[in-house]
């Protein structure tokens, strides 16, 4: 990559502009945040004796936006301290400072005339090599650049961040007709590697890729809803997880986006397409116009397709009756096809079960899917270069588990295309030709290599050197050992990767067995071990169902054997003489954290939620988590006179309240990451980066592992922690059972009833963990919490 982005400027401090600046800060990139100069004083400014010439007034819009960012939920920052990387200013006094930066992001209001004016101002101070992009959801890049010089146009492109920028993976890059291809390539590489984005290069057409397909699909859903007389609740039941889509489904998503905003997006295509059929499809339906006319534009107005009201039992959700335009009690639909989809485990199976049904819900799903698939196929080549680009855009931009062409393959391309034609729906000619030439799917996977339909033949996806696919390596025969819960995979250069693949990657005996076997295999034949996987989450903890069953049957010897195996396995990892690198991503909870703590280094995805959450199910960590973190506190304070109590108190609070980090950077603040641990922005690069860490450690060598002694706060420190817990109990913050758990946890973290300053062994601390864990397993309220978590997926406060 020839282009280096060391500093940026964001023009426009609205919701998107400020959030883009926040995500640049997340990546360590400082930025200027500039907005217009106010033309009048605010009430508070006048009272302070300020004038329109004071910098505080002139920078007010950007400064105000920056000050509001830490209170935005969910947070746009990995760590609020990153706000210091953003410098507020204004367009009149500070625009010349874009000469200091490598990239300018225009993020002003979605009006062509305003954007053209801002670009004209930017060009006054533009220098050769400076990249300028527009964050737009659908305005033509070519039209925006009219009137600009040829060198400026060569460095100008659209870069459509999806909202919120920190959390939404998709970034659409939209070259204009004069954009230098090298700029597109460099910015794509930068966005993927540094910003952690999934990049799709879009054509300069209305609404680009994701919004074009997504808007069409949503309008098709509203048409099918009206035609079939379906309720709001029925539509969202069909178009949510049952169809491999987010829980917000269709109409709840509309409320979240804003119905007025959606109308604006739909009108962008409606006003620009010359195709009568497409214009008809994008004509906003009457119900949306009526909702906007009434001011019921979604969550921001308090009412849309749904409305939250206070009832006798607290807040409740009402849904709109489109026939009467009144709100009624929400109802959960049920039917054979919905039940079948709910029982299926993965998106492909869910979708096949739903569309394979015979009831009205299956028919609704088919009508929506049919139209969306055909439209997506019609737009290949027009809005994006390939079926793969469209699928990635919908997965990353709308959080669909399956893109349109992946979904088409899942339900059977040949059979479903025949059904469409039998029902009078015109299938695009290229799809019919593809089927006629003997192809039965848009994608083909052979020996770990993926190919997709492209201009009449299969085209292999390019394999990048800076990514590692465990799935592909397994398909190529690189599995060294495997069982039902985990596999050891040769990832090259003398490094093996231990992959969990149990349900939810929950840790059970099979995974623990494979960890032990992997240590022995790596000891004999490899230089280092990486612990990583490609599941939705790294690991959500231990196998709670197994533990609950044993506890309810009072099989205490079995429970103790499980915990002892977990502890012994983690000890084996910690004392392994070759490097171990853990690479957690997304959720790493409870036992998932305890697997990472013994590693020599952690390479963590920035978007990782990391925490010891056992208290939420009435337990304490007993796989070495308490011991390992107490050891770190002891090692970080080697002076025998150093006061450990504040550090232990913080650990006690974090574990006792089941606190989970809001990011990898937050995990570092909570004490879960060490100074040598690494944070990676790109999930695609995570395993590759972990491998690099493992190779570096192997080359440098690691200290010979030896058992450590831990200085503890003892009985006095335990009393301090228990006093704090009693205060929380008295104030009503924790329940009686929480207080019991807190007492057990305090006993473990303090090192029991020994004198303060005593040095205890690691095994002694593990024994304390195991004893406390076993005693809590026998508590009826703990078993209630475990059962509730398994049934409801959330903690019970009892």
């Amino acid at each position: 990559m020839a282009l280096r982005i060391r500093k940026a400027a964001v023009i426009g401090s609205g919701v998107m502009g400020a959030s883009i600046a926040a995500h640049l800060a997340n990546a360590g990139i400082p930025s200027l945040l500039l907005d217009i100069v106010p033309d009048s004083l605010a009430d508070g400014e006048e009272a302070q004796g300020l004038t329109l010439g004071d910098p505080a007034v002139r920078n007010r819009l950007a400064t105000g936006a920056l000050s509001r960012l830490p209170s935005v939920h969910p947070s746009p920052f990995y760590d609020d301290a990153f706000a210091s990387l953003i410098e507020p200013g204004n367009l009149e006094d500070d625009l010349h400072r874009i000469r200091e930066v490598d990239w300018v992001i225009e993020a002003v209001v979605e009006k062509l005339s305003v954007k053209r004016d801002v670009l004209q101002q930017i060009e006054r101070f533009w220098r050769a090599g400076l990249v300028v992009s527009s964050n737009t959801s659908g305005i033509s890049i070519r039209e925006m650049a009219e009137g600009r010089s040829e060198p400026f146009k060569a460095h100008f492109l659209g870069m459509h961040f999806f909202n919120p920028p920190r959390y939404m993976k998709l970034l659409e890059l939209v070259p204009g007709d004069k954009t230098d291809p090298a700029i597109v390539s460099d910015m794509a590489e930068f966005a993927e590697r540094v910003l952690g984005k999934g990049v799709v290069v879009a054509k300069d057409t209305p609404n680009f890729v994701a919004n074009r397909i997504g808007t069409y699909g949503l309008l098709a859903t509203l048409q099918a809803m009206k035609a079939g007389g379906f309720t709001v609740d029925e539509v969202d039941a069909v178009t949510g997880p049952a169809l491999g889509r987010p829980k917000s489904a269709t109409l709840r998503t509309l409320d979240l986006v804003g119905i007025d905003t959606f109308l604006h997006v739909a009108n962008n295509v409606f006003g620009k397409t010359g195709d009568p059929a497409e214009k008809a499809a994008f004509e906003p339906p009457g119900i949306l116009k009526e909702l906007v006319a009434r001011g019921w534009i979604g969550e921001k107005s308090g009412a849309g397709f749904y409305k939250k009201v206070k009832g006798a039992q607290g807040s409740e959700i009402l849904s709109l009756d489109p026939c009467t335009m009144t709100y009624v009690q929400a109802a959960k639909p049920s039917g054979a096809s919905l039940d079948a989809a709910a029982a299926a485990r993965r998106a492909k199976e869910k979708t096949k079960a739903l569309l394979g049904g015979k009831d009205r819900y299956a028919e609704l799903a088919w009508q929506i899917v049919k139209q969306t698939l055909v439209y997506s196929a019609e737009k290949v080549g027009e809005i994006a270069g390939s079926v793969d680009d469209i699928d990635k855009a919908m997965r990353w931009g709308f959080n669909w588990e399956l893109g349109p062409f992946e979904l088409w393959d899942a339900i059977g391309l040949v059979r479903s295309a025949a059904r469409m034609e039998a029902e009078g729906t015109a299938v695009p000619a290229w799809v019919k030709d593809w089927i006629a030439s003997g192809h039965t799917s848009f994608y083909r996977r052979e020996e770990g290599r993926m190919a997709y339909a492209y201009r009449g033949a299969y085209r292999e996806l390019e394999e990048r050197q800076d990514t590692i696919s465990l799935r592909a390596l397994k398909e190529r025969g690189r599995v060294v050992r495997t069982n039902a819960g985990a596999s050891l995979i040769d990832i090259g250069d003398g490094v093996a990767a231990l992959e969990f693949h149990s349900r939810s990657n929950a840790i059970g005996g099979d995974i623990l067995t494979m960890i032990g076997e992997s240590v022995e295999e790596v000891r004999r034949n490899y230089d280092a071990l990486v612990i990583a996987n490609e599941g939705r989450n790294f690991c959500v903890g231990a196998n709670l169902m197994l533990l609950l069953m044993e506890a309810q049957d009072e099989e205490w010897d079995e429970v103790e054997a499980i915990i002892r195996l977990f502890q012994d396995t983690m000890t084996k990892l910690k004392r392994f003489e070759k490097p171990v690198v853990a690479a957690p991503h997304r959720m790493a909870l409870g036992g998932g954290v305890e697997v990472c703590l013994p590693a020599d280094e952690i390479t963590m995805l920035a978007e990782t939620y990391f925490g010891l959450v056992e208290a939420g199910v009435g337990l304490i960590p007993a796989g070495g988590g308490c011991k390992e973190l107490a050891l770190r506190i002891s090692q970080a304070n080697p002076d025998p006179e150093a006061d450990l109590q504040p550090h232990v108190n913080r650990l006690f609070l974090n574990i006792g309240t089941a606190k989970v980090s809001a990011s990898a950077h937050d995990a570092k603040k909570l004490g879960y990451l060490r100074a040598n641990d690494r944070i990676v922005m790109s999930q695609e690069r995570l395993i590759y980066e972990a491998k690099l860490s493992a190779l570096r450690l192997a080359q440098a060598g690691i200290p010979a592992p030896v058992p450590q002694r831990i200085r503890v706060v003892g009985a006095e420190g335990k009393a301090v922690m228990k006093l704090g817990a009693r205060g929380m109990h008295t104030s009503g913050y924790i329940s009686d059972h929480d207080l019991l758990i807190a007492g057990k946890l305090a006993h473990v973290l303090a090192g029991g009833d020994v004198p303060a300053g005593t040095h205890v062994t690691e095994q002694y601390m593990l024994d304390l963990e195991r004893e406390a864990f076993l005693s809590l397993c026998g508590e009826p309220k703990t078993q209630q919490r475990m059962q509730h978590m398994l049934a409801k997926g959330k903690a019970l406060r009892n």
Side-chain angles (χ1 to χ4, degrees):
M1 175 179 169
L3 184 68
R4 290 187 63 196
I5 305 294
R6 291 156 294 195
K7 187 174 182 179
V10 180
I11 312 298
S13 65
V15 171
M16 281 303 296
S19 297
I20 289 170
H23 194 58
L24 295 178
N26 288 336
I29 299 170
S31 65
L32 303 171
L33 181 62
L34 309 180
D35 213 317
I36 61 174
V37 175
D39 57 9
S40 61
L41 293 173
D43 291 342
E45 293 168 339
E46 195 166 359
Q48 295 174 52
L50 297 175
T51 69
L52 289 174
D54 285 309
V57 176
R58 296 177 70 78
N59 295 341
R60 183 214 306 154
L61 294 181
T63 302
L66 182 57
S67 69
R68 289 189 294 273
L69 281 174
S71 62
V72 173
H73 184 77
S75 175
F77 290 116
Y78 290 146
D79 187 319
D80 287 347
F82 291 162
S84 64
L85 291 175
I86 305 173
E87 182 183 353
N90 69 78
L91 289 172
E92 292 182 17
D93 303 327
D94 302 304
L95 188 58
H96 69 280
R97 294 186 59 194
I98 65 172
R99 292 172 177 149
E100 305 170 9
V101 310
D102 306 297
W103 177 25
V104 175
I105 305 107
E106 169 273 302
V108 300
V109 65
E110 282 283 272
K111 289 186 178 179
L112 178 60
S113 59
V114 176
K115 288 183 178 289
R116 278 179 173 169
D117 180 61
V118 170
L119 292 178
Q120 183 179 24
Q121 294 181 57
I122 289 171
E123 190 170 14
R124 290 170 50 216
F125 302 104
W126 183 80
R127 58 169 174 76
L130 175 60
V131 177
V132 180
S133 68
S134 173
N135 182 67
T136 173
S137 60
I139 297 177
S140 169
I141 305 304
R142 178 188 58 77
E143 292 179 11
M144 262 192 266
E146 285 181 4
R148 307 280 59 78
S149 68
E150 293 302 304
F152 184 94
K153 289 179 180 179
H155 289 77
F156 176 63
L157 73 165
M159 293 183 71
H160 178 207
F161 287 84
F162 275 63
N163 191 30
R166 169 186 163 182
Y167 300 94
M168 295 302 293
K169 184 171 181 174
L170 180 62
L171 177 64
E172 292 178 328
L173 262 59
V174 192
D177 55 350
K178 299 297 179 64
T179 307
D180 182 348
I183 296 293
V184 179
S185 176
D186 284 351
M187 291 306 292
E189 196 273 342
F190 163 78
E192 290 171 345
R193 179 175 56 84
V194 180
L195 300 183
K197 292 297 175 187
V199 173
V200 168
V201 177
K203 308 281 187 172
D204 189 7
T205 56
N207 293 359
F208 310 135
V209 183
N211 277 345
R212 184 72 167 267
I213 301 297
T215 301
Y216 178 90
L218 200 149
L219 291 169
T221 300
L222 289 172
Q223 292 165 0
M225 173 184 174
K226 181 179 179 180
F230 290 94
T231 68
V232 165
D233 299 311
E234 288 175 324
V235 167
D236 276 357
V238 168
T239 60
L243 206 54
R245 311 270 175 87
K247 290 182 180 179
S248 57
T250 298
L251 304 179
R252 175 62 180 147
T253 296
L254 257 180
D255 277 2
L256 292 170
V257 169
I259 295 168
D260 54 338
T261 301
F262 175 78
L263 274 179
H264 172 77
V265 174
N267 277 320
N268 193 42
V269 179
F270 178 75
K272 292 186 176 180
T273 181
D275 180 350
E278 188 171 39
K279 184 176 276 293
F282 276 87
E283 182 172 8
I287 188 171
L288 296 187
K289 296 176 181 176
E290 177 64 22
L291 286 168
V292 171
R294 292 172 180 247
W296 299 351
I297 56 176
E299 191 170 77
K300 58 189 174 185
S301 70
F305 283 98
Y306 294 94
K307 182 179 182 180
K308 182 184 285 188
V309 298
K310 289 186 177 180
Q313 305 299 319
S315 295
E316 58 180 340
I317 303 296
L318 305 180
S319 55
L320 182 72
D321 180 343
C323 298
T324 63
M325 294 302 287
T326 59
Y327 290 95
V328 298
Q329 190 72 42
K332 184 178 181 180
S334 63
S337 61
L338 290 174
D339 293 344
R345 184 176 174 184
R346 303 184 187 280
K348 288 183 179 180
E349 287 73 32
K350 285 179 179 292
T351 303
K352 287 173 68 175
L354 176 63
L355 292 168
K358 302 297 183 183
D359 59 17
R360 60 196 299 267
Y361 298 128
E363 181 60 25
L364 172 62
W366 170 248
Q367 292 302 322
I368 294 167
V369 164
K370 174 175 67 172
Q371 295 181 66
T372 305
L373 298 185
V374 168
Y375 184 75
S376 299
E378 290 173 347
K379 296 303 162 188
V380 174
E382 178 184 335
I383 65 174
S386 70
V387 298
D388 184 57
D389 283 336
I390 290 177
D391 279 347
K392 288 189 296 191
M394 300 315 298
R395 289 201 314 270
W396 296 340
F398 276 70
N399 291 323
W400 290 8
E401 291 191 56
L402 300 172
F405 299 96
E406 293 168 319
L407 190 155
W408 210 336
D409 279 356
I411 64 175
L413 168 61
V414 177
R415 180 176 53 80
S416 58
R419 179 180 174 185
M420 291 173 188
E421 293 211 291
E423 294 173 353
T425 299
V427 175
W430 78 264
V431 176
K432 291 197 289 186
D433 291 344
W434 180 254
I435 293 171
S437 62
H439 299 107
T440 59
S441 64
F442 292 109
Y443 290 92
R444 181 187 68 192
R445 191 174 190 92
E446 292 181 351
E447 297 182 349
R449 289 178 171 80
M450 178 70 80
Y452 58 88
Y454 185 78
R455 297 183 179 178
Y458 279 115
R459 180 184 193 180
E460 276 199 6
L461 278 173
E462 181 181 354
E463 290 195 353
R464 293 175 46 167
Q465 297 302 307
D466 60 352
T467 63
I468 292 174
S469 167
L470 297 181
R471 177 182 177 183
L473 290 174
K474 288 194 293 184
E475 291 174 355
R476 293 170 193 168
R478 301 281 284 276
V479 176
V480 180
R481 290 176 175 270
T482 188
N483 65 21
S487 296
L488 185 68
I489 304 160
D490 185 339
I491 60 174
D493 301 311
V495 182
L498 176 64
E499 177 201 33
F500 301 166
H501 45 65
S502 61
R503 189 174 187 123
S504 299
N505 287 341
I507 298 172
D510 45 9
I511 286 180
L512 295 173
T513 298
M514 185 53 63
I515 292 175
E517 291 181 4
S518 296
V519 167
E520 295 305 319
E521 181 69 35
V522 172
R523 175 174 285 127
R524 290 191 300 269
N525 298 312
Y526 292 87
D527 298 322
L529 175 66
V530 166
I531 302 175
N533 63 69
E534 295 168 333
R536 177 178 293 181
N537 297 304
F538 175 75
C539 175
V540 296
N543 187 331
L544 195 61
M545 174 66 78
L546 174 62
L547 189 62
L548 177 60
M549 290 171 60
E550 299 289 8
Q552 287 177 332
D553 291 342
E554 299 186 359
E555 296 286 352
W556 304 120
D557 288 345
E558 289 295 325
V559 174
E560 182 173 17
I562 292 169
I563 302 310
R564 193 179 291 275
L565 175 61
F566 202 140
Q567 292 181 342
D568 290 347
T569 304
M570 295 307 102
T571 299
K572 186 177 291 188
L573 266 183
K574 181 175 177 62
R575 296 183 185 168
F576 188 34
E577 68 275 12
K578 293 187 177 182
V580 177
V581 176
H585 67 277
R586 303 295 293 178
M587 286 189 182
L589 305 175
V593 171
E594 292 179 301
V595 166
C596 296
L597 293 179
D600 297 292
E601 191 170 294
I602 296 175
T603 299
M604 183 181 285
L605 183 69
E607 206 64 69
T608 298
Y609 315 113
F610 202 76
L612 293 167
V613 297
E614 285 84 352
V617 289
L619 298 167
I620 68 158
C626 295
K627 177 270 295 184
E628 191 63 30
L629 293 170
L631 173 60
R632 290 186 185 183
I633 290 173
S634 176
Q635 291 176 328
N637 297 274
D639 183 346
E641 300 301 318
D643 186 7
L644 302 180
Q645 194 69 53
H647 307 289
V648 176
N649 288 348
R650 185 178 69 162
L651 177 59
F652 173 68
L653 185 63
N654 288 342
I655 297 177
T657 58
K659 188 171 182 61
V660 176
S661 75
S663 69
H665 293 277
D666 191 36
K668 181 168 282 191
K669 285 177 67 176
L670 294 174
Y672 292 129
L673 294 188
R674 301 152 296 192
N676 64 307
D677 292 327
R678 299 176 59 216
I679 297 173
V680 175
M681 293 286 281
S682 169
Q683 186 163 355
E684 281 71 24
R685 290 172 55 92
L686 181 63
I687 300 175
Y688 171 80
E689 293 290 346
K691 176 183 171 180
L692 292 183
S693 293
L695 289 169
R696 171 174 45 79
L697 291 173
Q699 184 175 15
I702 59 172
V706 294
Q708 304 290 317
R709 296 186 74 86
I710 305 167
R711 184 162 69 97
V712 295
V713 295
E716 294 178 16
K718 180 171 80 169
V720 171
M721 286 183 273
K722 292 183 74 172
L723 181 63
R726 280 196 294 270
M728 294 179 71
H729 179 258
T730 302
S731 302
Y733 289 111
I734 63 175
S735 68
D736 291 346
H737 194 51
D738 291 325
L739 185 63
L740 173 66
I741 298 164
K744 302 281 187 182
L745 178 62
H747 182 73
V748 174
L749 294 179
D753 292 319
V754 299
T758 300
H759 286 76
V760 302
T761 66
E762 291 186 62
Q763 188 58 54
Y764 170 83
M765 292 290 283
L766 290 173
D767 292 342
L768 292 181
E769 283 186 11
R770 192 173 62 256
E771 290 164 7
F773 189 94
L774 279 166
S775 67
L776 287 169
C777 278
E779 293 287 336
K781 287 189 176 181
T782 286
Q783 294 180 17
Q784 290 170 12
R785 289 190 180 192
M786 294 164 72
Q787 197 154 11
H788 189 271
M789 178 61 72
L790 288 167
K792 305 291 186 182
K794 55 185 178 181
L796 171 68
R797 293 297 305 278
N798 59 353

